[in-house]
């Protein structure tokens, strides 16, 4: 009797209270705006509309925005429920699985190449982009057998990939994509009811389809085998509900842009309350998803009451990221335990002898270095090099080669080396093939540090690198402190890194919007580039890792091999697992921070270089170290020469070139492992 | 009466200017002297000393390119030349020989270096962290058009920077003439405003575009060049921001326009033809149609290529476009 009474109280609070809160938030929401309109006028505008400006403002600008918030929040939350059930992954949502970035990329790409396909807000394009991205992530991370962490990491990499491709399009087709730029962060602003009118039929259909599938989704939770035994067509259920979930996501992206974390937070609130069955779960998630998004939009305008808009997506990430971290820490015992996620050991290809590999790589580097120095705005001019180094050229060309091209090439070469080693260590420490300095949150920490240096302390751009280094260390320590209780388990570390990264990105977005000016320099720098780098960066940041840290690593690197055997085995072999992990991760962070200070956030090198090295010489880290160093240097050296010459005199950030080279390789790698 | 006075003034000024014009001979001797004249310039980074009058100048921000044109000097390189040709719409043109040196944010060091300039004009907010590399190529003068001081009155700052550019290329007199010319032109245009009965009117000026299908408006604040010229034309800006806007405008949505209903004001707007939010998104929308200045037909469109962030020549064009928009309707 007591429990059923308690249950009905909870039900009343969840559904009745949630709906009441929805009305309350809507009311607060429509009282916010650029013009102060008295509350009585707002009430009149709703119940006794007249043909006055204030009434129209409430009815045509503010109400649609609130309604769009409820629709989008609800749709994203319901999509989150479905994704979590079907992938059997509590961390799934449209943003963590990369669906948002894929959808966004599809819209940007078709704006450039097939504008005709964008009829009806681009819903078809967005939908196809979403479905394809989901399939890529789902299949490449191992489908039904994928561990949650692998799936989320795959989602993150795909996000990374699509955002790089989107930036490429934005650089090459600046004019065509100009209007889409702000969309990337998601905002609820509406001019009239057309956004709501367009989206509500899709949302209702998607919602109803999922509601109908609810009982089947319940069975699915018992496991595929049980569901099949109960006579269910598992494939069809999954197919239909995923289609509905992606449709809900793409309709919100096509109207309000990608808004992350609502789909993660809202379903978990309901699950925490205690609902497990899908009918109440779906309905309550819709209500609370609307609440979360409305509240975020209210907060966005409280934080920034001026006319300029703070993207609501930044606020949801600011709320959502700590939530993700909390969720990870809370679930560590029951779900992940000491599960062996090692994927590095084994799968040895035929290892080639170092005697051949290393001279070949050094030869290649010399060759590319030569090509790099010989190429510039006027194409490939090899004769110049000889003249520059051996006498009789004019002073001017000599300076051009020795003062502009050579130092920049050296910076590219060495920062590529440093980044690659950092990636190698993180992959070993986390026992995760997808790890990279950005996974641990270091890159986003560097961004926060850089912007805070400029925005809060108002110092000049010269201090950015120092701010960036401090930022990356703070974020690294935060991740490590949080991970202490989880004994630095690889999966936990990686997930915490993702949470911290998202939190950092949200802060970056808010700072950029708030500061109006003076961050332009920081922003180009953040995207990662070897542009205008010279001896200064080389001497201050890049020479130290090579002189001091590389030798230490040469001595300590074999610890990674022991770690890769799994915690128990490593302990059995007498290794102090926790402290070894911490030490190595610390060294890797120093490396990443130094490279970030020198060339900004260049991704993919730390990810790819160790893998290429592994393919060539097998899994032994001692053998890997030098090969990884050489490959990383070679990659960035190639990217540097391309970034200078492809669009000359305009530059393409070399970070983006790396992504274009790295992306296809990466997809191939994932497919091979799946 | 006032008109006659103005005409007299103009006559007097041009006479003065003519008197100042040095004879051919004087010019020649002056040229000889200036070949090794030393110039000291106060810029954003301190005092810069130039050994002689620079001949080959690379300009990394558009407004200084038009400043040079106004002084009869062709730069040898300009950053984002396509963008310059698209946006900066002034009578004096860059010659074909002017080279593109990459984007304004990331100018191509090698392209600059190949032009062998003897001066580079840069701006602090874009080029601060590459100044050392630029200095390795040639002497650099760095302006700070959006510094706290400069942004208080961008029109005044623009004229000061113009004078500095003139000092560098040794054309001070020509600069003073150009400034007087502009001021006279504005004074002249004021009469058209007066004839149209708009003297002393309040106005809002905006540049509008759509971001994610949402109409976004940049309302010019009093520190902007637009607003300063309008005030010289005897019009009063109805929009006041509660903070100093560094770029000279606040970004608002259409809802903010309701704050300007009491005054009978003129609404000036710049839109691109393919992104005319007032035609595409707002036409028929009661929150727009019911605004007092829309009802009264007091909206005035400026051409899409109106450049509000330019130098001395752009200010001339801008004045004409503003007055044309206000009067001819």
């Amino acid at each position: 009797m007591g429990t059923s009474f308690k249950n009905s109280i909870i039900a009343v609070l969840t559904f009745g209270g949630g709906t009441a809160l929805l009305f309350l938030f809507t009311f607060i929401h429509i009282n916010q705006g650029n013009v102060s309109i008295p509350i009585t006028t707002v009430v009149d505008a709703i119940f006794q509309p007249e043909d006055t400006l204030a009434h129209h403002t409430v009815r045509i600008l503010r109400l649609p925005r609130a309604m769009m918030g409820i629709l989008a929040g609800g749709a994203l939350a319901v999509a989150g429920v479905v994704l979590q059930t079907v992938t059997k992954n509590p961390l799934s949502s449209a943003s963590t699985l990369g669906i948002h970035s894929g959808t966004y990329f599809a819209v940007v790409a078709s704006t450039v190449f097939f504008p005709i396909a964008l009829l009806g807000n681009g819903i078809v394009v967005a939908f196809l982009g979403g479905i394809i991205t989901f399939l890529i992530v789902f299949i490449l991370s191992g489908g039904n057998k994928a561990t949650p962490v692998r799936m989320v990491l795959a989602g993150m990499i795909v996000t990374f990939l699509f955002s790089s491709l989107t930036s490429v399009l934005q650089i090459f087709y600046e004019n065509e994509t100009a209007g889409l730029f702000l969309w990337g962060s998601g905002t609820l602003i509406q001019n009239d009811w057309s956004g709501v009118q367009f989206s509500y039929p899709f949302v209702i259909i998607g919602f109803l389809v999922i509601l109908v599938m609810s009982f089947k989704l319940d069975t699915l939770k018992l496991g595929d085998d049980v569901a099949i035994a109960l006579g269910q067509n598992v494939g069809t259920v999954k197919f239909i509900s995923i289609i509905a979930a992606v449709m809900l996501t793409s309709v919100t992206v096509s109207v309000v842009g990608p808004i992350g974390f609502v789909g993660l937070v809202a379903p978990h609130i309901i699950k925490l309350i205690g609902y497990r069955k899908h009918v109440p779960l779906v309905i309550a998630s819709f209500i609370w998803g609307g609440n979360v998004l409305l509240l975020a939009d209210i907060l966005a305008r409280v934080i920034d009451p001026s006319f300029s808009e703070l993207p609501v997506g930044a606020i949801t990430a600011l709320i959502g990221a700590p939530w993700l971290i909390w969720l990870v820490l809370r679930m560590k015992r029951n779900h992940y335990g000491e599960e062996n996620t090692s994927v590095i050991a084994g799968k040895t290809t035929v290892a080639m002898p170092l005697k051949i590999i290393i001279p070949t790589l050094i030869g290649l580097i010399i060759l590319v270095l030569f090509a790099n120095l010989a190429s510039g705005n006027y194409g490939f001019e090899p004769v110049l090099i000889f003249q520059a180094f051996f006498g009789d050229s004019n002073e001017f060309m000599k300076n051009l080669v020795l003062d502009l091209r050579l130092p920049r090439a050296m910076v590219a070469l060495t920062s590529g080396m440093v980044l690659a080693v950092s990636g190698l260590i993180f992959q070993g420490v986390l026992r995760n093939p997808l790890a990279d300095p950005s996974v641990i949150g270091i890159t986003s920490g560097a961004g926060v540090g850089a912007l805070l240096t400029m925005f809060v302390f108002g110092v000049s751009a010269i201090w950015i690198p120092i701010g960036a280094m401090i930022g990356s260390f703070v974020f690294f320590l935060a991740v490590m402190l949080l991970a202490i209780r989880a004994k630095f388990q690889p999966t936990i570390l990686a997930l915490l890194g993702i949470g911290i990264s998202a939190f950092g990105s949200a802060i970056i977005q808010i700072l950029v919007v708030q500061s109006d000016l003076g961050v332009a320099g920081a922003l180009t720098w953040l995207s990662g580039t070897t542009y205008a780098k010279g001896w200064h960066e080389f001497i201050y940041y890049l020479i130290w890792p090579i002189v001091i840290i590389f030798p230490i690593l040469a001595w300590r690197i074999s610890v990674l091999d022991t770690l890769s055997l799994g915690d128990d085995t490593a302990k059995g072999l007498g290794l102090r697992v926790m402290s070894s992990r911490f030490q190595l991760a610390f060294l890797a962070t120093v490396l990443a921070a130094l490279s970030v200070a020198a060339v900004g956030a260049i991704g993919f090198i730390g990810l790819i270089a160790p893998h290429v090295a592994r393919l060539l010489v097998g899994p032994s880290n001692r053998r890997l170290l030098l090969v990884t160093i050489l490959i990383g240097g070679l990659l960035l050296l190639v990217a540097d020469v391309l970034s200078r010459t492809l669009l000359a005199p305009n530059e393409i950030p070399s970070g983006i070139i790396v992504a274009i080279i790295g992306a296809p390789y990466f997809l191939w790698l994932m497919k091979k492992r799946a | 009466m006032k008109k006659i006075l103005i005409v007299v003034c103009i006559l007097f000024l041009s006479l003065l200017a003519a008197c100042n014009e040095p004879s051919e001979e004087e010019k020649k001797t002056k040229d000889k002297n200036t070949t090794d004249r030393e110039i000291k310039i106060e810029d954003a980074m301190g005092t810069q000393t130039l050994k002689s009058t620079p001949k080959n100048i690379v300009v990394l921000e558009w407004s200084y390119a038009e400043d040079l044109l106004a002084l009869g000097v062709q730069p040898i390189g300009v950053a984002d030349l396509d963008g310059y040709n698209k946006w900066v719409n002034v009578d004096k043109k860059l010659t074909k020989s002017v080279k593109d040196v990459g984007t304004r944010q990331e100018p191509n060091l090698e392209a600059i270096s190949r032009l062998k300039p003897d001066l580079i004009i840069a701006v602090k907010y874009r080029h601060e962290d590459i100044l050392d590399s630029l200095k390795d190529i040639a002497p650099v003068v760095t302006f700070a058009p959006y510094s706290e001081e400069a942004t208080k009155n961008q029109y005044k700052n623009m004229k000061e920077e113009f004078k500095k550019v003139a000092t560098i290329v040794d054309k001070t007199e020509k600069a003073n003439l150009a400034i007087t010319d502009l001021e006279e032109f504005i004074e002249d245009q004021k009469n058209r405003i007066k004839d149209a009965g708009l003297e002393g009117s309040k106005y809002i000026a905006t540049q509008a575009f759509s971001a994610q299908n949402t109409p976004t408006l940049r309302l010019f604040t009093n520190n902007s060049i637009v607003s300063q010229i309008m005030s010289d034309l005897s019009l009063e800006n109805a929009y006041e921001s509660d903070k100093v806007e560094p770029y000279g405008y606040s970004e608002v949505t259409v809802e903010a326009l309701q704050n300007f209903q009491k005054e009978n004001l003129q609404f000036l707007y710049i839109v691109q033809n393919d992104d005319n939010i007032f035609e595409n998104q707002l036409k028929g929308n009661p929150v727009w149609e019911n605004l007092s200045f829309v009802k009264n037909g007091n909206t005035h469109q400026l051409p899409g290529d109106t450049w509000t962030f330019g130098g001395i020549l752009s200010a001339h064009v801008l004045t004409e476009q503003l007055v044309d928009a206000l009067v001819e309707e």
Side-chain angles (χ1 to χ4, degrees), chain A residues 449-480:
Chain A
L451 282 179
L452 278 181
T453 320
M454 292 199 74
F455 180 55
V456 179
F457 305 110
V459 294
S460 80
I462 292 148
W463 293 97
I464 293 182
I466 310 296
M469 285 173 71
I470 297 172
S472 43
F473 273 99
V474 170
F475 272 49
F476 166 74
L477 286 177
V479 172
M480 288 298 157

Side-chain angles (χ1 to χ4, degrees), chain A residues 269-409:
Chain A
I269 295 178
I270 311 305
K271 286 179 189 169
L272 278 179
I273 292 172
Y275 288 99
R276 289 287 180 271
K277 298 270 181 209
H278 275 78
V279 173
L281 189 58
V282 166
I283 297 173
S285 292
F286 189 92
I287 296 172
W288 286 87
N291 274 327
V292 169
L293 194 51
L294 272 185
L295 180 65
D297 204 32
I298 291 171
L299 284 178
R301 290 191 286 176
V302 170
I303 295 174
D304 184 6
S306 72
F307 292 128
S308 58
E309 286 282 337
L310 194 61
V312 65
I315 304 293
T316 55
L318 207 62
I319 306 171
W323 182 278
L324 176 68
I325 293 169
W326 179 76
L327 214 60
V328 169
L329 291 176
R330 188 173 159 273
M331 291 189 312
K332 67 176 195 288
R333 277 189 209 90
N334 31 14
H335 267 285
Y336 305 117
E338 305 229 339
E339 167 194 15
N340 191 356
T341 47
S342 173
V343 270
I344 293 174
K347 286 219 173 172
T348 319
T349 38
V350 185
M352 290 196 222
L354 290 181
K355 267 184 205 152
I356 296 174
I357 294 280
I358 287 172
T360 315
L361 282 173
I362 292 176
L364 270 175
I365 285 177
I366 292 170
L367 213 68
V368 176
L369 189 63
F370 176 75
N372 193 319
L373 294 182
S375 328
N377 291 7
Y378 297 99
F380 186 58
E381 303 160 301
V383 185
L384 267 181
I385 299 290
F386 290 105
Q387 287 175 347
F389 281 101
F390 309 108
D392 65 309
S393 87
N394 63 48
E395 195 65 15
F396 169 70
M397 285 317 294
K398 198 169 176 171
N399 292 342
L400 188 70
V401 172
L402 296 182
D403 294 345
L404 280 178
R405 292 180 186 170
L406 179 66
R408 180 170 164 166

Side-chain angles (χ1 to χ4, degrees), chain A residues 57 62 191 255 396 405 531, chain B residues 107 110 113 212 215 247 255 258:
Chain A
T57 303
R62 295 186 180 180
N191 321 319
V255 179
F396 169 70
R405 292 180 186 170
Y531 168 77
Chain B
E110 186 171 332
S113 175
Q212 192 196 334
Y247 286 120
E255 188 175 322
Q258 289 181 29

Side-chain angles (χ1 to χ4, degrees), chain A residues 332-342 431 485-492 565-569 571 577-578 581:
Chain A
K332 67 176 195 288
R333 277 189 209 90
N334 31 14
H335 267 285
Y336 305 117
E338 305 229 339
E339 167 194 15
N340 191 356
T341 47
S342 173
R431 281 187 287 144
R485 276 180 53 207
K487 295 181 183 161
F488 300 121
Q489 279 166 43
T491 44
I492 304 277
L565 300 172
D567 288 5
D568 293 339
T569 322
K571 271 177 208 153
V577 173
M578 261 179 77
R581 273 216 182 100

